[in-house]
Amino acid sequence: MKAIVCTKYGSPDVLQLQEVEKPAPQDDEVLIRIHASSINARDWRFMRAKPFFIRLMPGGFLQPKNKILGADVAGRVEAVGSNVKQFKPGDEVFGYLPSATGRGTFAEYGCANENAITLKPAKLTFEQAAAVPLAAITALQGLRDKGNIQPGQKVLINGASGGVGTFAVQIAKAFGAEVTAVCSTRNLEMVRSIGADHVVDYKKEDFTQNGQQYDLILAVNGYHPISDYLLALKPEGTYVVAGGSMLQLIQAAGNKKRNTNAGAQKTYIASLAQSQKDLNFVKELLESGKIMPVVDGCYPLNKTPEAFWYFEKEHPKGKVVITMD
Ligand SMILES: NC(=O)c1ccc[n+]([C@@H]2O[C@H](COP(=O)([O-])OP(=O)(O)OC[C@H]3O[C@@H](n4cnc5c(N)ncnc54)[C@H](OP(=O)(O)O)[C@@H]3O)[C@@H](O)[C@H]2O)c1
């Protein structure tokens, strides 16, 4: 089968289209004929080995251990292992693979544990479905599990126009929150169109210094010192960091330690946990029309390096999708 192989750490030019062995499913796995995948910041980090400690994790110190990148998947089940109960050949599925499997989805076929996937909502194309899983579940778990989001709360999403942020805006609205979305000028209309009640252009205004306070802040990108975030948070508010600068993450981790018993403002770092239950929750939101993926563009598998250059340089609106057909 054809796959994009990350031959060494570096720029998107290290990604090569190669012929590799088609994977075979284990007893609890399904073999998926992949129709689409999408790029997440995680893939970019594994390609660039940024931050450096990626090399100390399963990434591989001198060269990538998992040479096929890609986590999100949408496709059709081609075969099932002997213990698989939930799926049969022909089912249209979507989901995402944990990074530890060593098998990526920028490929024509992939194997997934049956608990990593679910049936694709019929109204979504494969391209749309592939744009959803990892980013939407990160947003859901950050807002609901760490942020304890409640109806009527004032919620701010910093980094609202990217992969995670576009889902965070819609999921926060689905939970009944009043949402302020922070992004750059060119994306203000888009985040309004997906439901943001208020928008802040980070190029023109610093939301931490305008006197507004929020019940919940989800920081998906950017950098503000922790002291500024706490200034923009109500006295009992919650601050959740999903991404952004390394300093932003380190400061949040430090503040979380200090604040363990404080009971007032809370600080959390979102960390994605594999959950079929959450995937099904996201599926229901999709089916009810409460959320829809924002797809910036689709690239065929052989143009994956171009897709990564675009992802790296252009701040995509929502997700960049890779198609196999
Ligand atoms: N913790 C976890 O488990 C987990 C899981 C998934 C992802 N993540 C992390 O979450 C982050 C978000 O990923 P993503 O896929 O949504 O895309 P992303 O490309 O990292 O973020 C895009 C968003 O950030 C905004 N942005 C870019 N530069 C900014 C700046 N200097 N200041 C403020 N905002 C800025 C963009 O706005 P404009 O385009 O309008 O400029 C856009 O809204 C990544 O760092 C990723 O590693 C964490």
Side-chain angles (χ1 to χ4, degrees), residues 9-266:
Y9 292 123
S11 79
D13 294 336
V14 301
L15 302 175
Q16 288 179 7
L17 185 70
Q18 291 184 4
E19 200 63 41
V20 301
E21 201 178 326
K22 185 176 165 182
Q26 294 178 1
D27 292 348
D28 55 355
E29 290 183 333
V30 303
L31 173 69
I32 302 169
R33 168 82 174 91
I34 300 175
H35 288 279
S37 179
S38 72
I39 300 179
N40 288 290
R42 184 179 91 173
D43 306 313
W44 179 87
R45 290 188 195 291
F46 274 100
M47 179 191 74
R48 283 274 185 194
K50 280 191 180 169
F52 186 81
F53 66 70
I54 290 273
R55 293 170 184 256
L56 307 175
M57 295 162 42
F61 191 72
L62 294 176
Q63 54 172 309
K65 190 170 156 209
N66 301 336
K67 291 191 169 16
I68 303 180
L69 302 174
D72 285 322
V73 60
R76 199 171 270 113
V77 173
E78 182 158 297
V80 299
S82 56
N83 293 338
V84 168
K85 297 194 171 49
Q86 303 174 56
F87 304 100
K88 57 180 186 325
D91 283 346
E92 295 186 349
V93 294
F94 78 130
Y96 77 92
L97 309 188
S99 55
T101 59
R103 300 150 158 189
T105 58
F106 300 145
E108 290 179 315
Y109 291 90
C111 290
N113 184 289
E114 67 169 333
N115 294 320
I117 55 172
T118 195
L119 291 174
K120 177 179 81 63
K123 69 184 210 181
L124 263 66
T125 62
F126 286 114
E127 289 78 8
Q128 288 174 314
V132 176
L134 195 147
I137 293 175
T138 301
L140 172 69
Q141 293 178 349
L143 290 166
R144 183 197 61 190
D145 303 346
K146 296 285 172 27
N148 190 26
I149 188 168
Q150 299 295 323
Q153 282 188 331
K154 285 180 70 175
V155 174
L156 180 134
I157 314 292
N158 188 26
S161 54
V164 177
T166 46
F167 285 109
V169 168
Q170 298 177 79
I171 290 171
K173 285 301 293 175
F175 275 88
E178 179 186 328
V179 178
T180 299
V182 183
C183 59
S184 67
T185 324
R186 70 197 175 95
N187 288 326
L188 295 176
E189 269 321 302
M190 186 271 286
V191 293
R192 269 199 198 98
S193 75
I194 57 171
D197 300 289
H198 315 283
V199 293
V200 176
D201 181 348
Y202 70 76
K203 300 218 177 220
K204 295 186 179 149
E205 185 183 347
D206 180 349
F207 70 88
T208 66
Q209 307 296 326
N210 65 7
Q212 294 290 320
Q213 288 194 315
Y214 300 90
D215 297 291
L216 171 59
I217 295 176
L218 178 66
V220 179
N221 207 328
Y223 169 72
H224 288 276
I226 184 82
S227 51
D228 286 0
Y229 275 116
L230 298 183
L231 207 62
L233 211 54
K234 290 184 183 175
E236 304 268 308
T238 303
Y239 166 54
V240 182
V241 188
S245 78
M246 195 44 67
L247 191 55
Q248 180 160 286
L249 285 154
I250 291 167
Q251 288 175 336
N255 193 64
K256 179 173 162 14
K257 240 181 187 168
R258 274 199 304 278
N259 259 9
T260 322
N261 299 314
Q265 291 176 321
K266 296 175 214 62

